[in-house]
Amino acid sequence: MPSSTLFEENKSGENEKRILSVDGKASDINKELNWIETQKNSNYLPDIKILQDHKSVSVRRKVVDLVASFGSEEDLDFLAKWKESEPDRATFLKIESAIDRIKRKKRGAEVDSVDVLSVGEALGYIKSVVSERKFTIKGEISESNTYGSMYFFKLKDSDSVVMDCWCFSGIVLRAGFPLNEGLEIKVTGQFKISNKSSRLIFD
């Protein structure tokens, strides 16, 4: 069995599952949750649901992600009740996203959102879905320029689809070669959305 702090070896030499505690240290719990995520096993869900009351927002958001990934129709009531008591707005929106995702899996079709969001909340919802993931994207550099300490450029593919990107100029210097237009590169980062203009950019 893969090693994890979720399992402790008892005196008989067997692996014994340890219940995660709401009083546990966030960094330790997040390591365990990351390990659970790699197992892609819904059997761990009953053990992690107690963490909905953990004081760390990062822990609670990770639990939402796991329930969304491995949960089923049986978890909808749990998420609905959690949503009513969740004080953090971004986590609240993630819970809504998880409910929506599970319903889509169940019905295999689009479902209408129940709540009406402000523009800012809608952007926050999109951020909660996209911004926390890292991606590696391949494309051709175009329209590059430097402004202050930032390097701005566009990536385009063979179909001329264009994506805005930026990074610190120091990253370009450390690359060791000029990022000239027409050069094909791979970049790793996260999508960011401007709060005011709703502009999507790859950081």
Side-chain angles (χ1 to χ4, degrees):
M1 180 176 293
S3 62
S4 167
T5 53
L6 180 65
F7 293 92
E8 292 181 336
E9 192 173 276
N10 61 26
K11 293 181 180 179
S12 65
E14 297 176 348
N15 285 322
E16 187 176 75
K17 188 164 30 175
R18 175 165 57 83
I19 300 299
L20 297 169
S21 169
V22 292
D23 300 319
K25 189 176 178 182
S27 58
D28 293 335
I29 291 176
N30 278 322
K31 288 179 183 177
E32 295 184 354
L33 295 178
N34 288 334
W35 182 86
I36 290 173
E37 185 176 32
T38 66
Q39 302 309 297
K40 303 186 185 302
N41 190 333
S42 61
N43 291 334
Y44 295 109
L45 288 183
D47 293 327
I48 69 172
K49 284 181 179 179
I50 191 175
L51 296 174
Q52 73 176 96
D53 295 321
H54 197 279
K55 62 183 179 181
S56 169
V57 172
S58 67
V59 168
R60 299 202 304 273
R61 291 178 185 175
K62 188 66 178 179
V63 171
V64 177
D65 289 338
L66 290 173
V67 175
S69 296
F70 311 133
S72 64
E73 183 183 356
E74 297 175 357
D75 299 298
L76 290 175
D77 286 341
F78 164 76
L79 290 171
K81 291 177 181 177
W82 181 0
K83 188 176 75 166
E84 292 175 1
S85 61
E86 176 55 52
D88 177 65
R89 183 64 183 174
T91 307
F92 173 92
L93 292 173
K94 284 182 76 71
I95 295 171
E96 283 205 329
S97 175
I99 292 172
D100 183 66
R101 182 173 174 182
I102 291 173
K103 285 181 177 179
R104 289 175 193 273
K105 285 193 292 187
K106 173 193 171 188
R107 300 177 184 176
E110 295 290 322
V111 293
D112 293 330
S113 176
V114 175
D115 294 333
V116 176
L117 304 178
S118 69
V119 173
E121 288 175 343
L123 292 177
Y125 176 85
I126 295 171
K127 287 179 181 179
S128 72
V129 174
V130 176
S131 299
E132 295 183 3
R133 285 193 60 191
K134 283 191 175 182
F135 300 87
T136 297
I137 300 174
K138 181 175 68 174
E140 181 182 305
I141 296 177
S142 68
E143 300 181 41
S144 60
N145 62 80
T146 302
Y147 183 79
S149 63
M150 300 300 295
Y151 179 79
F152 295 87
F153 61 101
K154 296 181 184 292
L155 277 185
K156 66 179 182 179
D157 61 20
S158 57
D159 296 322
S160 297
V161 178
V162 178
M163 181 178 75
D164 291 324
C165 304
W166 69 16
C167 67
F168 285 107
S169 299
I171 294 175
V172 178
L173 293 174
R174 289 195 298 272
F177 55 88
L179 299 186
N180 297 325
E181 292 199 17
L183 181 68
E184 187 177 86
I185 61 171
K186 289 181 181 179
V187 293
T188 298
Q190 295 170 288
F191 286 100
K192 300 292 175 68
I193 301 173
S194 168
N195 288 329
K196 293 186 176 181
S197 67
S198 71
R199 178 188 178 196
L200 180 69
I201 193 165
F202 193 67
D203 183 5

mmCIF file of all heavy atoms in Angstrom, residues 148-187:
data_model
loop_
_atom_site.group_PDB
_atom_site.id
_atom_site.type_symbol
_atom_site.label_atom_id
_atom_site.label_comp_id
_atom_site.label_asym_id
_atom_site.label_seq_id
_atom_site.Cartn_x
_atom_site.Cartn_y
_atom_site.Cartn_z
ATOM 1 N N GLY A 148 7.924 47.934 -17.557
ATOM 2 C CA GLY A 148 8.412 47.884 -16.190
ATOM 3 C C GLY A 148 9.133 46.578 -15.938
ATOM 4 O O GLY A 148 10.020 46.182 -16.710
ATOM 5 N N SER A 149 8.731 45.877 -14.897
ATOM 6 C CA SER A 149 9.358 44.591 -14.567
ATOM 7 C C SER A 149 8.616 43.416 -15.174
ATOM 8 O O SER A 149 8.949 42.260 -14.907
ATOM 9 C CB SER A 149 9.423 44.415 -13.048
ATOM 10 O OG SER A 149 8.108 44.372 -12.503
ATOM 11 N N MET A 150 7.634 43.699 -16.027
ATOM 12 C CA MET A 150 6.816 42.629 -16.589
ATOM 13 C C MET A 150 7.079 42.446 -18.080
ATOM 14 O O MET A 150 7.353 43.401 -18.801
ATOM 15 C CB MET A 150 5.330 42.935 -16.376
ATOM 16 C CG MET A 150 4.909 43.066 -14.928
ATOM 17 S SD MET A 150 5.203 41.560 -13.960
ATOM 18 C CE MET A 150 4.078 40.426 -14.771
ATOM 19 N N TYR A 151 6.967 41.203 -18.496
ATOM 20 C CA TYR A 151 7.123 40.842 -19.909
ATOM 21 C C TYR A 151 5.766 40.350 -20.399
ATOM 22 O O TYR A 151 5.192 39.395 -19.854
ATOM 23 C CB TYR A 151 8.183 39.745 -20.046
ATOM 24 C CG TYR A 151 8.421 39.275 -21.461
ATOM 25 C CD1 TYR A 151 9.212 40.014 -22.333
ATOM 26 C CD2 TYR A 151 7.874 38.079 -21.922
ATOM 27 C CE1 TYR A 151 9.443 39.575 -23.632
ATOM 28 C CE2 TYR A 151 8.094 37.637 -23.214
ATOM 29 C CZ TYR A 151 8.883 38.398 -24.066
ATOM 30 O OH TYR A 151 9.110 37.968 -25.345
ATOM 31 N N PHE A 152 5.220 41.019 -21.404
ATOM 32 C CA PHE A 152 3.914 40.671 -21.954
ATOM 33 C C PHE A 152 4.092 40.065 -23.346
ATOM 34 O O PHE A 152 4.911 40.530 -24.137
ATOM 35 C CB PHE A 152 3.030 41.924 -22.065
ATOM 36 C CG PHE A 152 2.680 42.535 -20.743
ATOM 37 C CD1 PHE A 152 3.531 43.457 -20.147
ATOM 38 C CD2 PHE A 152 1.512 42.187 -20.090
ATOM 39 C CE1 PHE A 152 3.218 44.031 -18.926
ATOM 40 C CE2 PHE A 152 1.180 42.750 -18.866
ATOM 41 C CZ PHE A 152 2.039 43.676 -18.284
ATOM 42 N N PHE A 153 3.323 39.029 -23.632
ATOM 43 C CA PHE A 153 3.372 38.428 -24.961
ATOM 44 C C PHE A 153 2.081 37.652 -25.200
ATOM 45 O O PHE A 153 1.257 37.479 -24.297
ATOM 46 C CB PHE A 153 4.594 37.506 -25.098
ATOM 47 C CG PHE A 153 4.623 36.351 -24.125
ATOM 48 C CD1 PHE A 153 4.243 35.071 -24.521
ATOM 49 C CD2 PHE A 153 5.056 36.535 -22.815
ATOM 50 C CE1 PHE A 153 4.284 34.004 -23.634
ATOM 51 C CE2 PHE A 153 5.096 35.465 -21.921
ATOM 52 C CZ PHE A 153 4.716 34.203 -22.333
ATOM 53 N N LYS A 154 1.912 37.214 -26.423
ATOM 54 C CA LYS A 154 0.779 36.373 -26.774
ATOM 55 C C LYS A 154 1.298 35.020 -27.252
ATOM 56 O O LYS A 154 2.376 34.940 -27.833
ATOM 57 C CB LYS A 154 -0.066 37.024 -27.865
ATOM 58 C CG LYS A 154 -0.720 38.333 -27.453
ATOM 59 C CD LYS A 154 -1.563 38.910 -28.591
ATOM 60 C CE LYS A 154 -2.144 40.272 -28.218
ATOM 61 N NZ LYS A 154 -3.156 40.165 -27.166
ATOM 62 N N LEU A 155 0.544 33.983 -26.975
ATOM 63 C CA LEU A 155 0.824 32.654 -27.526
ATOM 64 C C LEU A 155 -0.275 32.337 -28.533
ATOM 65 O O LEU A 155 -1.458 32.561 -28.261
ATOM 66 C CB LEU A 155 0.829 31.588 -26.425
ATOM 67 C CG LEU A 155 2.091 31.386 -25.594
ATOM 68 C CD1 LEU A 155 1.894 30.192 -24.665
ATOM 69 C CD2 LEU A 155 3.322 31.178 -26.470
ATOM 70 N N LYS A 156 0.115 31.830 -29.680
ATOM 71 C CA LYS A 156 -0.891 31.433 -30.658
ATOM 72 C C LYS A 156 -0.575 30.036 -31.176
ATOM 73 O O LYS A 156 0.568 29.574 -31.133
ATOM 74 C CB LYS A 156 -0.962 32.437 -31.807
ATOM 75 C CG LYS A 156 0.283 32.507 -32.671
ATOM 76 C CD LYS A 156 0.083 33.528 -33.804
ATOM 77 C CE LYS A 156 1.299 33.575 -34.716
ATOM 78 N NZ LYS A 156 1.114 34.541 -35.823
ATOM 79 N N ASP A 157 -1.615 29.355 -31.641
ATOM 80 C CA ASP A 157 -1.408 28.019 -32.192
ATOM 81 C C ASP A 157 -1.616 28.026 -33.691
ATOM 82 O O ASP A 157 -1.802 29.081 -34.311
ATOM 83 C CB ASP A 157 -2.311 26.993 -31.490
ATOM 84 C CG ASP A 157 -3.796 27.293 -31.651
ATOM 85 O OD1 ASP A 157 -4.165 28.038 -32.582
ATOM 86 O OD2 ASP A 157 -4.594 26.780 -30.846
ATOM 87 N N SER A 158 -1.589 26.858 -34.279
ATOM 88 C CA SER A 158 -1.659 26.754 -35.744
ATOM 89 C C SER A 158 -2.991 27.234 -36.297
ATOM 90 O O SER A 158 -3.108 27.551 -37.476
ATOM 91 C CB SER A 158 -1.419 25.303 -36.182
ATOM 92 O OG SER A 158 -2.354 24.435 -35.553
ATOM 93 N N ASP A 159 -4.017 27.289 -35.442
ATOM 94 C CA ASP A 159 -5.329 27.772 -35.876
ATOM 95 C C ASP A 159 -5.496 29.265 -35.621
ATOM 96 O O ASP A 159 -6.608 29.791 -35.724
ATOM 97 C CB ASP A 159 -6.442 27.009 -35.137
ATOM 98 C CG ASP A 159 -6.431 25.527 -35.482
ATOM 99 O OD1 ASP A 159 -6.180 25.205 -36.650
ATOM 100 O OD2 ASP A 159 -6.673 24.703 -34.580
ATOM 101 N N SER A 160 -4.376 29.932 -35.248
ATOM 102 C CA SER A 160 -4.365 31.374 -34.977
ATOM 103 C C SER A 160 -5.225 31.762 -33.776
ATOM 104 O O SER A 160 -5.687 32.905 -33.678
ATOM 105 C CB SER A 160 -4.809 32.167 -36.217
ATOM 106 O OG SER A 160 -3.885 31.958 -37.271
ATOM 107 N N VAL A 161 -5.461 30.818 -32.875
ATOM 108 C CA VAL A 161 -6.108 31.140 -31.603
ATOM 109 C C VAL A 161 -5.048 31.771 -30.702
ATOM 110 O O VAL A 161 -3.948 31.229 -30.567
ATOM 111 C CB VAL A 161 -6.703 29.886 -30.939
ATOM 112 C CG1 VAL A 161 -7.332 30.241 -29.600
ATOM 113 C CG2 VAL A 161 -7.730 29.239 -31.853
ATOM 114 N N VAL A 162 -5.363 32.914 -30.093
ATOM 115 C CA VAL A 162 -4.373 33.699 -29.365
ATOM 116 C C VAL A 162 -4.721 33.767 -27.882
ATOM 117 O O VAL A 162 -5.896 33.888 -27.519
ATOM 118 C CB VAL A 162 -4.268 35.128 -29.944
ATOM 119 C CG1 VAL A 162 -3.276 35.956 -29.159
ATOM 120 C CG2 VAL A 162 -3.859 35.073 -31.410
ATOM 121 N N MET A 163 -3.692 33.697 -27.032
ATOM 122 C CA MET A 163 -3.875 33.792 -25.592
ATOM 123 C C MET A 163 -2.893 34.808 -25.014
ATOM 124 O O MET A 163 -1.702 34.780 -25.330
ATOM 125 C CB MET A 163 -3.639 32.419 -24.954
ATOM 126 C CG MET A 163 -3.827 32.374 -23.457
ATOM 127 S SD MET A 163 -3.594 30.694 -22.815
ATOM 128 C CE MET A 163 -1.801 30.577 -22.910
ATOM 129 N N ASP A 164 -3.387 35.733 -24.180
ATOM 130 C CA ASP A 164 -2.529 36.728 -23.539
ATOM 131 C C ASP A 164 -1.751 36.096 -22.391
ATOM 132 O O ASP A 164 -2.309 35.320 -21.595
ATOM 133 C CB ASP A 164 -3.365 37.884 -22.992
ATOM 134 C CG ASP A 164 -3.972 38.734 -24.089
ATOM 135 O OD1 ASP A 164 -3.301 38.918 -25.116
ATOM 136 O OD2 ASP A 164 -5.111 39.211 -23.926
ATOM 137 N N CYS A 165 -0.454 36.446 -22.287
ATOM 138 C CA CYS A 165 0.409 35.913 -21.227
ATOM 139 C C CYS A 165 1.270 37.034 -20.644
ATOM 140 O O CYS A 165 1.513 38.057 -21.295
ATOM 141 C CB CYS A 165 1.354 34.839 -21.778
ATOM 142 S SG CYS A 165 0.549 33.456 -22.600
ATOM 143 N N TRP A 166 1.734 36.800 -19.417
ATOM 144 C CA TRP A 166 2.727 37.697 -18.836
ATOM 145 C C TRP A 166 3.593 36.937 -17.856
ATOM 146 O O TRP A 166 3.230 35.844 -17.394
ATOM 147 C CB TRP A 166 2.089 38.911 -18.178
ATOM 148 C CG TRP A 166 1.298 38.661 -16.907
ATOM 149 C CD1 TRP A 166 1.328 37.555 -16.103
ATOM 150 C CD2 TRP A 166 0.364 39.551 -16.311
ATOM 151 N NE1 TRP A 166 0.478 37.698 -15.044
ATOM 152 C CE2 TRP A 166 -0.121 38.915 -15.138
ATOM 153 C CE3 TRP A 166 -0.086 40.815 -16.624
ATOM 154 C CZ2 TRP A 166 -1.067 39.514 -14.308
ATOM 155 C CZ3 TRP A 166 -1.025 41.397 -15.767
ATOM 156 C CH2 TRP A 166 -1.498 40.756 -14.642
ATOM 157 N N CYS A 167 4.755 37.508 -17.553
ATOM 158 C CA CYS A 167 5.630 36.968 -16.523
ATOM 159 C C CYS A 167 6.597 38.068 -16.112
ATOM 160 O O CYS A 167 6.694 39.107 -16.774
ATOM 161 C CB CYS A 167 6.389 35.727 -17.009
ATOM 162 S SG CYS A 167 7.599 36.063 -18.307
ATOM 163 N N PHE A 168 7.309 37.860 -15.024
ATOM 164 C CA PHE A 168 8.333 38.815 -14.633
ATOM 165 C C PHE A 168 9.503 38.746 -15.610
ATOM 166 O O PHE A 168 9.868 37.671 -16.088
ATOM 167 C CB PHE A 168 8.824 38.533 -13.213
ATOM 168 C CG PHE A 168 7.858 38.964 -12.151
ATOM 169 C CD1 PHE A 168 7.123 38.035 -11.431
ATOM 170 C CD2 PHE A 168 7.672 40.314 -11.876
ATOM 171 C CE1 PHE A 168 6.229 38.431 -10.461
ATOM 172 C CE2 PHE A 168 6.776 40.727 -10.896
ATOM 173 C CZ PHE A 168 6.053 39.785 -10.182
ATOM 174 N N SER A 169 10.093 39.889 -15.892
ATOM 175 C CA SER A 169 11.201 39.944 -16.848
ATOM 176 C C SER A 169 12.355 39.062 -16.410
ATOM 177 O O SER A 169 13.090 38.516 -17.241
ATOM 178 C CB SER A 169 11.685 41.396 -17.014
ATOM 179 O OG SER A 169 10.654 42.210 -17.512
ATOM 180 N N GLY A 170 12.533 38.909 -15.094
ATOM 181 C CA GLY A 170 13.614 38.062 -14.586
ATOM 182 C C GLY A 170 13.504 36.621 -15.041
ATOM 183 O O GLY A 170 14.509 35.942 -15.246
ATOM 184 N N ILE A 171 12.265 36.140 -15.215
ATOM 185 C CA ILE A 171 12.063 34.774 -15.693
ATOM 186 C C ILE A 171 12.590 34.637 -17.114
ATOM 187 O O ILE A 171 13.211 33.631 -17.480
ATOM 188 C CB ILE A 171 10.571 34.404 -15.622
ATOM 189 C CG1 ILE A 171 10.118 34.362 -14.160
ATOM 190 C CG2 ILE A 171 10.304 33.063 -16.307
ATOM 191 C CD1 ILE A 171 8.636 34.113 -13.985
ATOM 192 N N VAL A 172 12.363 35.677 -17.920
ATOM 193 C CA VAL A 172 12.850 35.661 -19.306
ATOM 194 C C VAL A 172 14.373 35.671 -19.320
ATOM 195 O O VAL A 172 15.011 34.950 -20.097
ATOM 196 C CB VAL A 172 12.293 36.869 -20.083
ATOM 197 C CG1 VAL A 172 12.831 36.876 -21.509
ATOM 198 C CG2 VAL A 172 10.767 36.836 -20.094
ATOM 199 N N LEU A 173 14.983 36.482 -18.454
ATOM 200 C CA LEU A 173 16.448 36.543 -18.393
ATOM 201 C C LEU A 173 17.034 35.200 -17.994
ATOM 202 O O LEU A 173 18.044 34.755 -18.542
ATOM 203 C CB LEU A 173 16.891 37.632 -17.402
ATOM 204 C CG LEU A 173 16.581 39.084 -17.810
ATOM 205 C CD1 LEU A 173 16.948 40.027 -16.674
ATOM 206 C CD2 LEU A 173 17.356 39.443 -19.072
ATOM 207 N N ARG A 174 16.401 34.529 -17.036
ATOM 208 C CA ARG A 174 16.907 33.226 -16.575
ATOM 209 C C ARG A 174 16.736 32.132 -17.622
ATOM 210 O O ARG A 174 17.392 31.092 -17.558
ATOM 211 C CB ARG A 174 16.210 32.815 -15.276
ATOM 212 C CG ARG A 174 16.638 33.644 -14.065
ATOM 213 C CD ARG A 174 16.223 32.978 -12.767
ATOM 214 N NE ARG A 174 14.789 32.834 -12.647
ATOM 215 C CZ ARG A 174 13.983 33.754 -12.127
ATOM 216 N NH1 ARG A 174 14.476 34.913 -11.716
ATOM 217 N NH2 ARG A 174 12.683 33.529 -12.024
ATOM 218 N N ALA A 175 15.832 32.361 -18.576
ATOM 219 C CA ALA A 175 15.640 31.357 -19.628
ATOM 220 C C ALA A 175 16.907 31.180 -20.461
ATOM 221 O O ALA A 175 17.171 30.115 -21.006
ATOM 222 C CB ALA A 175 14.470 31.752 -20.530
ATOM 223 N N GLY A 176 17.704 32.252 -20.576
ATOM 224 C CA GLY A 176 18.990 32.150 -21.257
ATOM 225 C C GLY A 176 18.941 32.299 -22.762
ATOM 226 O O GLY A 176 19.950 32.105 -23.441
ATOM 227 N N PHE A 177 17.781 32.631 -23.314
ATOM 228 C CA PHE A 177 17.687 32.856 -24.760
ATOM 229 C C PHE A 177 16.563 33.857 -25.003
ATOM 230 O O PHE A 177 15.621 33.964 -24.205
ATOM 231 C CB PHE A 177 17.416 31.558 -25.524
ATOM 232 C CG PHE A 177 16.198 30.808 -25.066
ATOM 233 C CD1 PHE A 177 14.947 31.082 -25.604
ATOM 234 C CD2 PHE A 177 16.302 29.827 -24.090
ATOM 235 C CE1 PHE A 177 13.821 30.401 -25.180
ATOM 236 C CE2 PHE A 177 15.170 29.141 -23.650
ATOM 237 C CZ PHE A 177 13.933 29.418 -24.198
ATOM 238 N N PRO A 178 16.662 34.641 -26.073
ATOM 239 C CA PRO A 178 15.636 35.660 -26.334
ATOM 240 C C PRO A 178 14.316 35.033 -26.771
ATOM 241 O O PRO A 178 14.290 34.069 -27.539
ATOM 242 C CB PRO A 178 16.252 36.486 -27.472
ATOM 243 C CG PRO A 178 17.183 35.542 -28.162
ATOM 244 C CD PRO A 178 17.737 34.649 -27.074
ATOM 245 N N LEU A 179 13.227 35.572 -26.248
ATOM 246 C CA LEU A 179 11.902 35.070 -26.620
ATOM 247 C C LEU A 179 11.391 35.864 -27.814
ATOM 248 O O LEU A 179 10.532 36.736 -27.704
ATOM 249 C CB LEU A 179 10.948 35.173 -25.429
ATOM 250 C CG LEU A 179 11.343 34.370 -24.188
ATOM 251 C CD1 LEU A 179 10.255 34.448 -23.136
ATOM 252 C CD2 LEU A 179 11.629 32.906 -24.547
ATOM 253 N N ASN A 180 11.954 35.552 -28.955
ATOM 254 C CA ASN A 180 11.613 36.276 -30.179
ATOM 255 C C ASN A 180 10.275 35.815 -30.748
ATOM 256 O O ASN A 180 9.851 34.674 -30.544
ATOM 257 C CB ASN A 180 12.706 36.072 -31.239
ATOM 258 C CG ASN A 180 14.042 36.636 -30.794
ATOM 259 O OD1 ASN A 180 14.099 37.657 -30.113
ATOM 260 N ND2 ASN A 180 15.128 35.972 -31.181
ATOM 261 N N GLU A 181 9.634 36.695 -31.477
ATOM 262 C CA GLU A 181 8.376 36.337 -32.117
ATOM 263 C C GLU A 181 8.599 35.186 -33.092
ATOM 264 O O GLU A 181 9.605 35.117 -33.789
ATOM 265 C CB GLU A 181 7.786 37.547 -32.847
ATOM 266 C CG GLU A 181 7.331 38.649 -31.904
ATOM 267 C CD GLU A 181 6.349 39.599 -32.570
ATOM 268 O OE1 GLU A 181 5.780 39.222 -33.620
ATOM 269 O OE2 GLU A 181 6.144 40.701 -32.045
ATOM 270 N N GLY A 182 7.650 34.274 -33.109
ATOM 271 C CA GLY A 182 7.747 33.111 -33.985
ATOM 272 C C GLY A 182 8.348 31.898 -33.302
ATOM 273 O O GLY A 182 8.262 30.788 -33.831
ATOM 274 N N LEU A 183 8.954 32.094 -32.117
ATOM 275 C CA LEU A 183 9.559 30.981 -31.387
ATOM 276 C C LEU A 183 8.466 30.160 -30.727
ATOM 277 O O LEU A 183 7.565 30.700 -30.090
ATOM 278 C CB LEU A 183 10.527 31.516 -30.333
ATOM 279 C CG LEU A 183 11.275 30.470 -29.497
ATOM 280 C CD1 LEU A 183 12.269 29.706 -30.354
ATOM 281 C CD2 LEU A 183 11.991 31.157 -28.329
ATOM 282 N N GLU A 184 8.538 28.841 -30.876
ATOM 283 C CA GLU A 184 7.566 27.966 -30.217
ATOM 284 C C GLU A 184 8.103 27.571 -28.852
ATOM 285 O O GLU A 184 9.227 27.092 -28.734
ATOM 286 C CB GLU A 184 7.285 26.715 -31.057
ATOM 287 C CG GLU A 184 6.144 25.870 -30.484
ATOM 288 C CD GLU A 184 5.807 24.676 -31.355
ATOM 289 O OE1 GLU A 184 6.463 23.630 -31.180
ATOM 290 O OE2 GLU A 184 4.907 24.786 -32.209
ATOM 291 N N ILE A 185 7.306 27.782 -27.808
ATOM 292 C CA ILE A 185 7.745 27.485 -26.444
ATOM 293 C C ILE A 185 6.636 26.760 -25.681
ATOM 294 O O ILE A 185 5.491 26.697 -26.123
ATOM 295 C CB ILE A 185 8.115 28.774 -25.671
ATOM 296 C CG1 ILE A 185 6.896 29.706 -25.566
ATOM 297 C CG2 ILE A 185 9.294 29.490 -26.323
ATOM 298 C CD1 ILE A 185 7.105 30.888 -24.653
ATOM 299 N N LYS A 186 7.014 26.221 -24.524
ATOM 300 C CA LYS A 186 6.044 25.685 -23.567
ATOM 301 C C LYS A 186 6.134 26.536 -22.307
ATOM 302 O O LYS A 186 7.229 26.814 -21.827
ATOM 303 C CB LYS A 186 6.353 24.229 -23.225
ATOM 304 C CG LYS A 186 6.090 23.248 -24.346
ATOM 305 C CD LYS A 186 6.407 21.829 -23.900
ATOM 306 C CE LYS A 186 6.170 20.825 -25.018
ATOM 307 N NZ LYS A 186 6.515 19.439 -24.589
ATOM 308 N N VAL A 187 5.003 26.953 -21.796
ATOM 309 C CA VAL A 187 4.971 27.747 -20.565
ATOM 310 C C VAL A 187 4.089 27.051 -19.540
ATOM 311 O O VAL A 187 3.078 26.431 -19.890
ATOM 312 C CB VAL A 187 4.445 29.178 -20.821
ATOM 313 C CG1 VAL A 187 5.433 29.957 -21.672
ATOM 314 C CG2 VAL A 187 3.078 29.158 -21.488
#
